[in-house]
Amino acid sequence: MFGIRSFEKNEYDYMKLKNIFFDTEFKNFEMVINKIKNFPVYVTIDIDVFDPSCMQGVGNPEAGGIDFNFFMNKIITGLDKLNNILAIDVVEYAPPYDPSGASGIFTAKIIRELLFVLNKNVKKR
């Protein structure tokens, strides 16, 4: 899990106890991508990973998230290296929290980029 910025103490303690991998700052993203690139992978993007300054319509806004350039340059570039993506989903879009509709447009663009990755990935197989 990458980009999680908010934990309850019990959640944090449980993940540490069970040795569940999480990287709040994407420091190990490339290493993980390289380790899993030939394994079947299910990708889920929880869009509250984005900073609320660019994505307000989420269920759990938390300051300090990523922006679109980071998403394109780090995440999309990394996902392009995977050889066996089984599926991709996007969760946590909450339209009522952004009456301007900008988050919907932003989410659509995220999904479009992920579909490009998925299409390239299918062609690799």
Side-chain angles (χ1 to χ4, degrees), residues 105-123:
I105 295 165
F106 195 94
T107 301
K109 190 161 185 154
I110 293 163
I111 292 169
R112 182 192 71 184
E113 297 302 326
L114 292 167
L115 287 172
F116 288 150
V117 168
L118 189 57
N119 185 51
K120 284 189 240 173
N121 192 268
V122 169
K123 289 180 179 180

Side-chain angles (χ1 to χ4, degrees), residues 58-83:
V58 297
N60 187 31
E62 183 73 32
I66 68 171
D67 64 16
F68 188 75
N69 289 333
F70 184 92
F71 174 75
M72 291 300 296
N73 296 328
K74 184 91 162 187
I75 297 173
I76 292 296
T77 300
L79 295 177
D80 268 339
K81 295 176 184 174
L82 298 176
N83 295 317

Side-chain angles (χ1 to χ4, degrees), residues 5-100:
R5 300 176 311 286
S6 179
F7 302 97
E8 291 180 348
K9 183 177 180 342
N10 291 341
E11 292 172 318
Y12 182 81
D13 292 345
Y14 179 82
M15 291 189 328
K16 285 295 212 182
L17 178 70
K18 298 295 184 178
N19 201 27
I20 296 171
F21 175 83
F22 64 96
D23 180 350
T24 59
E25 297 177 2
F26 293 84
K27 290 179 181 177
N28 297 300
F29 189 73
E30 288 88 5
M31 181 213 37
V32 170
I33 290 293
N34 288 329
K35 282 187 174 187
I36 67 170
K37 70 181 177 184
N38 293 314
F39 289 92
V41 176
Y42 183 100
V43 177
T44 187
I45 305 288
D46 186 331
I47 61 171
D48 60 16
V49 71
F50 289 93
D51 191 82
S53 65
C54 59
M55 179 65 82
Q56 295 175 7
V58 297
N60 187 31
E62 183 73 32
I66 68 171
D67 64 16
F68 188 75
N69 289 333
F70 184 92
F71 174 75
M72 291 300 296
N73 296 328
K74 184 91 162 187
I75 297 173
I76 292 296
T77 300
L79 295 177
D80 268 339
K81 295 176 184 174
L82 298 176
N83 295 317
N84 195 8
I85 298 175
L86 301 178
I88 296 175
D89 72 13
V90 176
V91 299
E92 285 290 325
Y93 172 50
Y97 296 129
D98 182 8
S100 75

